[in-house]
Amino acid sequence: MTSIDQNAAEFIAEAQEIIETFSRTLLELEAQSRGSGPEPDLINAAFRAIHSLKGLAGLFGAAAIGGLAHSLENTLDSLRLGKLDLSRPVLDVLFEAIEMFGRLLAPQGEEGGGGEVDIEPVLQRLRQLGEREAESTGPQDSLEWVGENILSVLTEYEEHRLRENIKAGRNLYRVHAKFDIMQIDVGLEQLKDKMKGYGEVITYLPSADGSSDDAIELDILLGSKGSLGEINGALANPDVTVHRLTPAGDAPAAPQPAPGRSAPPAAAPKPAPPTMSEGTSRRAEPPPRAGSPTQTRTVVTTTEEPDPTSAASSEASLRSLSQTVRVDLRRLDLLMNLVGELGLVQANLTGVLDELRQIDHSADVSRELRVQIRDMHRKLALLQQGILDVRMVPIGQVFDKLARVVRKLSRDLDKEIRLVISGAETVLDKLIVEELSDPLMHMIRNCIDHGIEPAAERVALGKLPGGKIELRAFQKGNRVVIEVEDDGRGMDWTRIRDVAVRRNLLNAEEAASLTPGEAVNLIFQPGFSTRDSATELSGRGVGMDIVKTNIARLSGMIDVTTDLGRGTTFSITLPVTLAIIQALVIQSAGHTFCIPLNSVLESIMVETREIGTVEGHEVITLGGRTLPLLQLSRLFGLKPLHKNYRDPNRLYVVVVGLAQHRVGLVVDELLGQQDVVIKPLGSAVRNVPGIAGATELGANRTVLLLDVGRLVDEGVRQVDAAYQIGGGHVR
Amino acid sequence: MSGEREDLWQALLRSGEGVVTDEDYEHGYKREVRQDLQQYVTFRVSGEVYGLAIHEIEEISKVFQTTHVPRTADFLLGIGNVRGRIMPVIDLARRLRLRLVERGRAARVLIVHFNDEPYGLVVDEVMDVIRIPPEAMEDKPGGFTGARAEYIRALGRTGKELVIILHLPALLDAKDFVKATVYEEGRA
């Protein structure tokens, strides 16, 4: 049973990887189709991706996915054979198919998941594309001048590329190369790389000549704009000869043996381009074959170091994907646990060392032991870091998905939107990246829906007709910041304030003292975002409280700044990993708990006489604001051991807060700060409100980690309720 | 054949997930005569004998320290940590609503695996590993209608003894763990 589950998981993971690659390729192709025209290699990559998906689906008996992949494969085949142009409608269907795959792969029972996805509409549209293609194929030129011996072995695709090259007015060369049999892979790759700078490699053919035992000779068909002299100069190599093929018909039937470095023959004037019977070429010149996906996309990369993959072709980057090993996160957790335990062993060893030191005559031994323990400590730290690093994935995975959303929404709403992505290579814990996609999707949706004005309105305001959304990610210390910025209409803080007052989120007094910044942050309040307020406020703030909650669950914080008429920027700050966090260790009623340090604002000592009450709830005034106090022991129903405070008139209060809400947690003791490894609670205990996880402090002690967001919400709700009953005055 | 007893640890080792000894390689698969004999670990809780299929049990441990988790049902002793793995630890006597008896030195924690997660079940004493042929199992026991019936999967008979085989999915139902009255607390 588990092996089936495992197989399914394996299949889903692999299929998703393929679809992500496919999606990335499509986005690149789309960018190219707007600019210089699609690159044949990319179409090929897309074709290959879907082809392997089809194979995979067949292997696992996933009929719907297989069927869709099969239809897609046909369409992509037509695309690469030039029977079909990469037009917007075609791209639309292809993107639709990606969404469809996503839904087909979604686990059963989840929203939008399950086996009841109807792929028929997409199949239908793919078939329609196929019909259209039948009309667009026209009569073909004769290619006899290339030589029968070559023509007869070309595949349909290669022949298509050959025609495209001729259409584009390129010269055709036959490059004859001889490779040592032991080094053909290296040699061929080098030659290919060199030639790629000059044009397109259409095919490799085994040479007609009888090769010797220790050498292999190949004929390579190259389409290039360069002259014979240029090509010869570029490929300078005694084992390579270049011949030009012209429609004049002097295709050599048998190439001469390689005569050393062949100088450009004098009889090679700048040749006239081959005649083109179809008149104008439909296609623009393929762009120069430069580099990695990140360069060809409309992506601004902020790294200063050159991307190591940028020199490789897109084919190479595809290959590197398959070199990765998929590892279940749970296995990494296991390794992490082991490292944690080794840490405890090390602590014990240190204890032994201390004992040894008491004994005089073993001074040498204990010194040696100390050196060894210190060394072990360093290695352990490295090991821990290493495992953490393995969990890291580039946030680009999510950005790619968002690019699809932007594309779809901008089409649906008929707004032209440019998505500028930077920092896609910033790495975050895999868990965080997964959890981020929904909140980010929501924010992007808001941007397009309500932030970016319609083109006409933008022009009237003196803006460019097309809107711009920037997605930025960068590392800042041990945190990662993600920013979503639009150049839309921004938010009016006075209107937000007024709506908040009307919704009883704050009273008139509070509203009067509100700063613009505070007012804008009101959109994160639950209850602010209801539909009618959304329309009043040009729709901004739909479900932002949910976004905030999701981010808070990742120990992150969200902030917003807005410039009326100029745009809005949301900024999310996240820890790089959830696996290790800094925590404040506290004690309440004899129980020890950890509080994530990133949600602790300050820890203060409060005298009991400073405490007031609002409808029976304890509050203090801190920095001019009312701060509800929560007795942790009461909240958790813990029996106080006995009143053993050092001073009964003083309380320890940990001021915690996420975004706008703050409460003071009353605790008995502050035990200090510590880096802790967070371990998930099982499904049985996971849903206990107020508890976020567990961790291990020394001596095998398990300690609970508080869910601050939840506790703050509970505290604020109590006090809010009290305000509404009692009129909200602090006595 | 029924009532065939074996050393507990040997049996655990042999059937244990992924634990293969040298002996296994040598004698391989010839050891079992009847393949359909299910093995059960029996244990005592408040004087009654219960059993769990051996493949559900991953390990038997001495009672270890647990950390109390607020806002949870009373049968949850807390969470414990066994070699870095955090697991809920359940007092079976309370879970089965049995009369509580003082636990002695024989008390053990059965570490079981359910839905890919470990759970600890505290029992008064671990007794044996027994084999029960399917025909000696009584499914859906008619006599049991009380509150405990849902936790019982079957009754097994080995000679003169009767073993109550527990039903883990009911026993470890996540929704029972959180105290229902959580929201009322802290407001008083």
Side-chain angles (χ1 to χ4, degrees):
Chain A
M1 195 182 80
T2 41
S3 75
I4 292 172
D5 290 351
Q6 232 164 32
N7 275 340
E10 187 79 357
F11 166 64
I12 289 173
E14 205 165 332
Q16 269 167 347
E17 203 167 90
I18 292 174
I19 291 162
E20 271 163 31
T21 310
F22 178 62
S23 155
R24 249 194 319 271
T25 316
L26 268 194
L27 284 167
E28 271 173 67
L29 276 171
E30 186 184 30
Q32 289 181 356
S33 72
R34 275 201 298 266
S36 47
E39 201 176 316
D41 265 9
L42 272 181
I43 299 183
N44 241 342
F47 176 79
R48 276 198 305 270
I50 290 303
H51 182 75
S52 32
L53 181 62
K54 186 175 109 175
L56 192 68
L59 211 61
F60 284 89
I65 293 177
L68 186 53
H70 178 73
S71 296
L72 260 187
E73 192 185 347
N74 286 343
T75 307
L76 288 164
D77 198 31
S78 305
L79 277 173
R80 68 183 197 135
L81 293 178
K83 292 180 186 168
L84 192 63
D85 273 339
L86 193 65
S87 57
R88 281 200 94 155
V90 176
L91 276 166
D92 284 346
V93 183
L94 294 180
F95 276 110
E96 207 177 303
I98 292 180
E99 301 302 324
M100 201 57 83
F101 279 130
R103 268 192 280 165
L104 286 169
L105 284 173
Q108 302 269 354
E110 246 177 49
E111 202 192 334
E116 287 149 49
V117 184
D118 186 13
I119 58 168
E120 196 46 46
V122 177
L123 289 180
Q124 180 78 28
R125 293 180 59 186
L126 284 170
R127 273 197 296 273
Q128 280 167 3
L129 292 178
E131 285 156 21
R132 195 176 319 167
E133 138 211 334
E135 299 156 15
S136 69
T137 35
Q140 302 266 324
D141 275 350
S142 161
L143 288 172
E144 266 169 41
W145 53 270
V146 178
E148 182 59 31
N149 56 341
I150 293 178
L151 268 188
S152 57
V153 293
L154 288 183
T155 65
E156 194 184 359
Y157 174 66
E158 286 160 354
E159 188 181 324
H160 162 67
R161 293 311 314 159
L162 179 63
R163 287 181 191 280
E164 284 298 313
N165 273 286
I166 295 167
K167 237 186 270 174
R170 293 176 176 191
N171 301 329
L172 211 56
Y173 296 99
R174 191 162 57 88
V175 180
H176 184 85
K178 192 164 98 183
F179 297 105
D180 184 280
I181 200 158
M182 300 305 286
Q183 289 179 338
I184 180 157
D185 46 347
V186 181
L188 186 59
E189 209 52 45
Q190 280 172 353
L191 186 66
K192 212 163 86 176
D193 280 348
K194 274 189 207 159
M195 287 194 291
K196 278 196 167 180
Y198 286 86
E200 181 181 337
V201 176
I202 297 166
T203 189
Y204 318 82
L205 303 168
S207 177
D209 299 342
S211 322
S212 58
D213 282 347
D214 54 353
I216 290 180
E217 293 179 34
L218 285 177
D219 279 332
I220 302 165
L221 220 49
L222 172 75
S224 169
K225 275 209 149 351
S227 69
L228 184 61
E230 282 172 303
I231 306 282
N232 250 327
L235 302 182
N237 186 322
D239 287 338
V240 175
T241 43
V242 183
H243 298 272
R244 183 156 172 248
L245 299 173
T246 54
D250 57 351
Q256 300 97 16
R261 177 186 298 223
S262 62
K270 183 77 186 155
T275 42
M276 289 183 289
S277 65
E278 289 180 31
T280 55
S281 70
R282 264 185 298 141
R283 246 166 232 262
E285 188 72 28
R289 210 164 281 273
S292 76
T294 42
Q295 283 184 332
T296 44
R297 261 193 293 171
T298 49
V299 163
V300 187
T301 314
T302 49
T303 28
E304 261 126 60
E305 288 165 65
D307 187 342
T309 60
S310 67
S313 69
S314 55
E315 194 176 337
S317 72
L318 195 75
R319 192 173 304 141
S320 73
L321 254 180
S322 60
Q323 266 175 9
T324 56
V325 177
R326 260 188 298 276
V327 181
D328 193 325
L329 266 189
R330 276 175 300 183
R331 288 202 198 176
L332 291 181
D333 287 339
L334 197 75
L335 289 179
M336 192 57 119
N337 282 340
L338 284 174
V339 174
E341 276 165 50
L342 281 177
L344 295 180
V345 172
Q346 183 212 326
N348 293 341
L349 280 178
T350 314
V352 173
L353 174 67
D354 287 343
E355 277 171 39
L356 259 184
R357 274 202 207 142
Q358 316 282 322
I359 311 165
D360 262 357
H361 58 262
S362 59
D364 282 354
V365 183
S366 71
R367 200 175 303 123
E368 176 60 18
L369 185 58
R370 189 173 70 233
V371 170
Q372 293 299 333
I373 289 178
R374 206 179 291 156
D375 197 28
M376 177 175 165
H377 178 71
R378 270 196 299 272
K379 300 274 159 59
L380 265 181
L382 288 176
L383 184 57
Q384 192 170 49
Q385 190 56 48
I387 295 174
L388 275 184
D389 284 349
V390 174
R391 298 170 62 100
M392 299 294 161
V393 293
I395 191 152
Q397 290 186 354
V398 175
F399 286 1
D400 284 342
K401 273 191 224 159
L402 293 174
R404 287 208 302 272
V405 172
V406 169
R407 181 182 186 280
K408 184 168 186 305
L409 279 182
S410 59
R411 295 272 280 145
D412 289 354
L413 297 169
D414 197 25
K415 289 176 181 176
E416 188 194 319
I417 285 157
R418 196 158 58 93
L419 181 69
V420 182
I421 291 174
S422 65
E425 72 288 342
T426 311
V427 289
L428 271 171
D429 194 298
K430 168 87 175 159
L431 268 183
I432 299 180
V433 169
E434 295 280 298
E435 294 294 321
L436 260 184
S437 82
D438 279 353
L440 281 177
M441 193 100 80
H442 215 102
M443 289 158 69
I444 292 269
R445 217 174 266 269
N446 269 344
C447 282
I448 300 173
D449 237 1
H450 313 295
I452 307 269
E453 312 90 331
E457 196 179 314
R458 291 181 63 91
V459 172
L461 289 165
K463 295 183 182 180
L464 289 169
K468 186 172 88 169
I469 297 176
E470 271 187 72
L471 258 180
R472 281 188 294 263
F474 52 91
Q475 188 153 8
K476 198 174 174 184
N478 61 350
R479 333 218 79 213
V480 164
V481 182
I482 299 165
E483 290 180 340
V484 181
E485 181 179 355
D486 67 57
D487 65 347
R489 48 171 76 101
M491 294 186 274
D492 185 347
W493 70 273
T494 58
R495 292 178 69 185
I496 294 174
R497 181 191 59 191
D498 296 348
V499 171
V501 171
R502 236 173 297 151
R503 305 216 157 264
N504 288 322
L505 291 176
L506 70 174
N507 58 32
E509 260 173 75
E510 284 172 310
S513 63
L514 214 57
T515 67
E518 284 168 345
V520 170
N521 272 300
L522 286 171
I523 61 167
F524 296 116
Q525 298 256 17
F528 179 84
S529 51
T530 60
R531 194 163 293 157
D532 62 311
S533 81
T535 44
E536 265 176 68
L537 279 164
S538 24
R540 238 348 148 101
V542 183
M544 284 312 286
D545 62 321
I546 298 168
V547 170
K548 193 203 86 175
T549 319
N550 285 345
I551 304 275
R553 201 175 300 150
L554 299 173
S555 302
M557 276 174 277
I558 183 164
D559 231 332
V560 57
T561 54
T562 185
D563 199 350
L564 189 59
R566 294 242 178 84
T568 304
T569 306
F570 285 95
S571 126
I572 300 172
T573 313
L574 290 163
V576 173
T577 177
L578 291 179
I580 291 192
I581 65 163
Q582 276 195 305
L584 179 67
V585 188
I586 57 108
Q587 211 166 50
S588 175
H591 295 268
T592 308
F593 297 99
C594 288
I595 306 176
L597 204 60
N598 58 28
S599 54
V600 174
L601 301 172
E602 55 184 320
S603 308
I604 52 174
M605 181 91 93
V606 173
E607 305 221 351
T608 38
R609 61 182 161 79
E610 294 174 57
I611 300 176
T613 51
V614 176
E615 288 295 307
H617 291 291
E618 293 174 322
V619 298
I620 54 168
T621 306
L622 187 69
R625 288 177 62 174
T626 306
L627 184 75
L629 290 188
L630 293 179
Q631 296 276 356
L632 195 61
S633 55
R634 203 185 301 157
L635 212 54
F636 279 170
L638 306 172
K639 282 193 197 72
L641 294 178
H642 40 81
K643 290 280 176 198
N644 65 343
Y645 303 133
R646 290 187 200 103
D647 181 348
N649 295 321
R650 285 161 174 264
L651 299 173
Y652 286 110
V653 174
V654 181
V655 183
V656 293
L658 288 163
Q660 290 307 291
H661 286 152
R662 299 187 308 162
V663 300
L665 284 180
V666 181
V667 303
D668 294 349
E669 292 273 3
L670 302 177
L671 298 180
Q673 289 179 16
Q674 202 165 333
D675 278 349
V676 294
V677 179
I678 299 304
K679 304 185 169 182
L681 295 166
S683 50
V685 194
R686 184 164 45 216
N687 295 324
V688 177
I691 306 289
T695 185
E696 217 174 296
L697 293 184
N700 225 11
R701 219 151 43 108
T702 311
V703 171
L704 295 169
L705 183 80
L706 300 184
D707 176 356
V708 170
R710 171 68 197 217
L711 293 179
V712 168
D713 279 352
E714 282 181 26
V716 169
R717 233 183 300 137
Q718 287 174 20
V719 175
D720 280 354
Y723 260 120
Q724 278 166 13
I725 302 162
H729 281 283
V730 181
R731 187 177 48 81
Chain B
M1 201 181 297
S2 61
E4 180 187 342
R5 301 194 164 181
E6 298 207 31
D7 179 277
L8 172 67
W9 296 108
Q10 278 301 316
L12 264 181
L13 203 63
R14 201 182 320 138
S15 78
E17 334 266 315
V19 184
V20 179
T21 60
D22 290 344
E23 257 195 329
D24 280 329
Y25 285 116
E26 281 172 32
H27 304 293
Y29 309 94
K30 290 172 195 153
R31 202 181 286 175
E32 298 278 80
V33 185
R34 259 190 85 168
Q35 295 290 328
D36 62 342
L37 289 184
Q38 178 86 72
Q39 286 182 298
Y40 294 89
V41 175
T42 60
F43 45 89
R44 202 182 296 279
V45 186
S46 298
E48 292 186 50
V49 180
Y50 290 88
L52 276 170
I54 202 164
H55 64 82
E56 291 176 312
I57 296 177
E58 195 172 276
E59 183 181 341
I60 295 174
S61 155
K62 288 202 167 168
V63 174
F64 47 84
Q65 204 190 333
T66 54
T67 301
H68 169 73
V69 183
R71 300 174 159 185
T72 49
D74 67 339
F75 66 79
L76 181 70
L77 287 172
I79 52 170
N81 182 339
V82 176
R83 287 189 302 278
R85 288 201 305 170
I86 304 275
M87 65 186 73
V89 179
I90 291 155
D91 182 341
L92 257 191
R94 280 183 197 275
R95 182 58 172 151
L96 298 169
R97 285 170 232 137
L98 299 171
R99 163 184 59 89
L100 301 181
V101 297
E102 184 100 355
R103 272 194 294 273
R105 298 180 54 161
R108 291 287 182 275
V109 184
L110 305 179
I111 297 176
V112 299
H113 221 66
F114 173 63
N115 275 351
D116 263 355
E117 288 174 1
Y119 292 80
L121 305 175
V122 179
V123 302
D124 295 343
E125 180 189 359
V126 174
M127 301 165 72
D128 267 316
V129 173
I130 55 169
R131 287 157 190 255
I132 308 179
E135 62 269 19
M137 293 292 282
E138 196 180 317
D139 277 346
K140 306 249 177 210
F144 280 88
T145 47
R148 283 154 51 194
E150 55 174 316
Y151 305 132
I152 298 172
R153 198 178 84 200
L155 291 180
R157 231 169 265 282
T158 69
K160 50 196 183 306
E161 276 180 84
L162 195 66
V163 181
I164 306 168
I165 309 295
L166 291 170
H167 186 47
L168 277 188
L171 213 54
L172 303 176
D173 190 348
K175 72 176 186 315
D176 291 348
F177 279 71
V178 181
K179 201 183 261 177
T181 55
V182 155
Y183 301 91
E184 306 310 317
E185 280 179 24
R187 297 199 172 186

